[in-house]
Amino acid sequence: MIFQKGVLFVIHYPNGKLYQPSEPLSKPAKPVKKKELSFSNRGKTLEDEINETNTYYLNQQIAIIHKKPVPVQIVKVEYPSRSAAVIREAYFRTPSTTDYNGVWNGYYIDFEAKETESKTSFPLKNVHQHQVLHMKDVTNQKGIAFTIVKFSTLDRYFVVPFSVLHDAWRQMEKGGRKSIPLSIFETQTIEIRPGYNPRIDYLSAIKKLITNEE
Amino acid sequence: MIFQKGVLFVIHYPNGKLYQPSEPLSKPAKPVKKKELSFSNRGKTLEDEINETNTYYLNQQIAIIHKKPVPVQIVKVEYPSRSAAVIREAYFRTPSTTDYNGVWNGYYIDFEAKETESKTSFPLKNVHQHQVLHMKDVTNQKGIAFTIVKFSTLDRYFVVPFSVLHDAWRQMEKGGRKSIPLSIFETQTIEIRPGYNPRIDYLSAIKKLITNEE
């Protein structure tokens, strides 16, 4: 891991406080269920939330991180006159990397985002071997690899350092358990409280990890 | 720019020498034109050459650099029974980044690859504004951004630091020339001789750039 000493970080921590957006003025007052006050329950996927976060980071020039396009094998393209080319036959390919990567203040950032509806553990079948291998390669090249896991039923988000995922993966390969229990998330990863903007401030968690390693 | 002192680099310079592959034994001897001896003239695109290079870097664990998939807007997918999903309607989207990125020894690497048939200059119309903006953002985040330019008629390859492209781009925006003359490539960029494996050893050029900046 490379560390840059004396670097001024511009990331603000949510400090466990949820930002509350002001309600639109035109809406009539009505009893609001507790759940609706949460930011996590608007039908957004984790992917949407991370894309919003990355757009915020980009606009604020905090980091340049993008989702990679879905890899597609294109077989047939039509070129109708006076309109855009249309792909008429294509197939999904298996990605060889994780979904997100980019650069933040000199650090190479590389991660995968996963959701589970389980309330007690994260099933490792959500992770593919090529993703584990890719994150291992990235770590060996001194990049920062991690997974963002959302327990959607619990509305909880965790930044999982690759070392934690890697340990669980190796134990599974030796015949150990096929999931990571919530208690491991609570003790060995960094929980993120979702906010308004940035939505999922995962770089503040990464900053903590780096500071801890120093 | 972050520098890591005392790091052992495993990149080997081609030192201007072309590796010559041995001819297949079964082929009858015949007079060979000079051009056929070159590695550069086998109908490979620059993209093929860079993909080969990245595969070499990956297999040797020198760097983890991938081409991003072509971004596609998927509209209609069919799911035939007992076979793979088929995309039946999709459109090409404009990429918001460059084509290649990854990590090398703690450095974030980000580049675009461009070919020109011109013998005298590289037309800037080959570069899109969103690519220039992206490379500027990357540079501000202390990543290493550059362009690999192949003069295909001349069989010459250059690694162009972002600063050189950016200067030319700004001059064009002020009404200056719309291309970068070959003389600028010869004096302000790093030429790469194509080799056997790695085919286009652009990381050795990047190593030179970093050493020069130190």
Side-chain angles (χ1 to χ4, degrees):
Chain A
M1 199 68 67
I2 319 160
F3 298 113
Q4 292 181 278
K5 312 245 181 193
V7 168
L8 181 69
F9 286 94
V10 291
I11 312 287
H12 302 288
Y13 280 88
N15 284 327
K17 288 177 195 158
L18 293 182
Y19 295 88
Q20 297 293 349
S22 52
E23 283 289 311
L25 290 173
S26 55
K27 270 198 178 174
K30 60 166 188 173
V32 180
K33 285 181 202 157
K34 198 182 171 194
K35 221 173 181 182
E36 288 180 347
L37 274 176
S38 159
F39 282 90
S40 310
N41 225 303
R42 295 177 172 174
K44 276 181 196 165
T45 62
L46 179 58
E47 182 181 322
D48 292 336
E49 295 177 295
I50 290 173
N51 288 344
E52 275 176 31
T53 305
N54 289 341
T55 300
Y56 173 85
Y57 289 154
L58 182 67
N59 291 341
Q60 301 290 317
Q61 291 284 299
I62 292 167
I64 315 300
I65 296 167
H66 289 273
K67 182 174 191 294
K68 291 189 181 180
V70 175
V72 153
Q73 178 75 45
I74 297 168
V75 176
K76 192 177 153 194
V77 183
E78 284 175 8
Y79 300 89
S81 59
R82 272 175 276 189
S83 49
V86 191
I87 298 162
R88 285 294 180 201
E89 186 183 351
Y91 299 90
F92 294 101
R93 285 188 295 141
T94 307
S96 45
T97 66
T98 50
D99 276 356
Y100 301 88
N101 77 349
V103 60
W104 166 55
N105 194 28
Y107 295 104
Y108 174 77
I109 299 293
D110 193 300
F111 65 97
E112 192 63 36
K114 302 286 184 191
E115 280 184 85
T116 180
E117 292 189 355
S118 165
K119 294 175 187 176
T120 54
S121 68
F122 172 70
L124 286 169
K125 69 168 191 276
N126 287 331
V127 181
H128 302 290
Q129 187 167 33
H130 69 262
Q131 293 166 338
V132 176
L133 292 174
H134 174 73
M135 287 193 269
K136 191 177 171 189
D137 287 348
V138 163
T139 304
N140 287 339
Q141 288 295 329
K142 302 171 195 157
I144 300 178
F146 55 95
T147 308
I148 299 177
V149 174
K150 176 180 180 180
F151 284 80
S152 47
T153 311
L154 303 175
D155 270 355
R156 294 179 73 178
Y157 301 74
F158 299 90
V159 169
V160 183
F162 175 65
S163 58
V164 174
L165 177 71
H166 199 202
D167 282 351
W169 190 266
R170 280 182 296 198
Q171 281 171 32
M172 180 184 71
E173 285 185 329
K174 286 179 197 159
R177 67 177 290 170
K178 291 180 177 133
S179 63
I180 305 178
L182 186 60
S183 60
I184 294 283
F185 285 87
E186 290 173 334
T187 54
Q188 296 182 30
T189 78
I190 296 192
E191 184 162 8
I192 316 175
R193 302 290 179 115
Y196 176 58
N197 219 353
R199 175 69 187 150
I200 304 291
D201 191 9
Y202 60 85
L203 288 179
S204 70
I206 295 304
K207 193 192 156 198
K208 275 189 197 171
L209 282 178
I210 292 171
T211 310
N212 291 348
E213 281 190 29
E214 270 185 321
Chain B
M1 198 69 69
I2 322 160
F3 298 113
Q4 293 182 277
K5 313 245 180 190
V7 167
L8 182 69
F9 287 94
V10 290
I11 312 288
H12 300 288
Y13 281 88
N15 284 328
K17 288 177 196 162
L18 294 180
Y19 295 88
Q20 299 292 349
S22 52
E23 284 289 310
L25 289 174
S26 55
K27 270 198 175 174
K30 60 167 187 171
V32 181
K33 285 181 202 158
K34 198 182 174 195
K35 220 171 181 182
E36 287 180 345
L37 274 176
S38 158
F39 282 90
S40 309
N41 224 302
R42 292 176 174 176
K44 276 183 196 163
T45 63
L46 180 57
E47 182 181 323
D48 291 337
E49 295 176 295
I50 290 174
N51 288 344
E52 274 177 30
T53 305
N54 289 341
T55 301
Y56 173 86
Y57 287 154
L58 181 67
N59 290 342
Q60 301 290 317
Q61 290 284 299
I62 292 167
I64 315 301
I65 296 166
H66 289 274
K67 183 174 190 297
K68 291 190 180 179
V70 175
V72 154
Q73 178 76 44
I74 297 169
V75 176
K76 192 175 154 196
V77 183
E78 284 176 8
Y79 299 89
S81 60
R82 269 175 278 189
S83 48
V86 190
I87 298 162
R88 285 295 180 200
E89 185 184 351
Y91 299 89
F92 294 101
R93 284 188 296 140
T94 307
S96 46
T97 65
T98 49
D99 276 356
Y100 301 88
N101 76 349
V103 61
W104 167 56
N105 194 28
Y107 295 104
Y108 173 77
I109 300 292
D110 193 301
F111 65 98
E112 192 62 39
K114 301 287 183 188
E115 280 185 83
T116 180
E117 293 190 354
S118 164
K119 294 175 186 174
T120 55
S121 69
F122 173 69
L124 286 168
K125 68 167 193 277
N126 287 332
V127 181
H128 303 289
Q129 187 167 32
H130 69 263
Q131 293 167 338
V132 175
L133 292 175
H134 174 73
M135 285 194 268
K136 193 178 169 185
D137 287 349
V138 163
T139 304
N140 287 339
Q141 288 295 329
K142 301 172 195 158
I144 298 177
F146 55 95
T147 309
I148 299 177
V149 173
K150 176 180 180 181
F151 283 82
S152 47
T153 313
L154 303 176
D155 269 357
R156 294 178 73 178
Y157 302 73
F158 298 90
V159 169
V160 183
F162 175 64
S163 57
V164 174
L165 177 71
H166 200 203
D167 283 351
W169 189 266
R170 282 182 296 199
Q171 282 171 30
M172 180 185 70
E173 285 185 328
K174 288 180 196 158
R177 68 177 288 168
K178 292 180 175 128
S179 64
I180 305 178
L182 185 60
S183 60
I184 295 283
F185 285 88
E186 290 174 332
T187 54
Q188 296 182 30
T189 78
I190 296 191
E191 185 162 7
I192 315 174
R193 303 290 178 115
Y196 176 59
N197 219 351
R199 173 71 187 148
I200 305 290
D201 190 9
Y202 60 85
L203 288 179
S204 70
I206 294 304
K207 192 192 157 200
K208 275 190 197 173
L209 282 177
I210 291 170
T211 311
N212 289 349
E213 282 188 32
E214 271 184 320

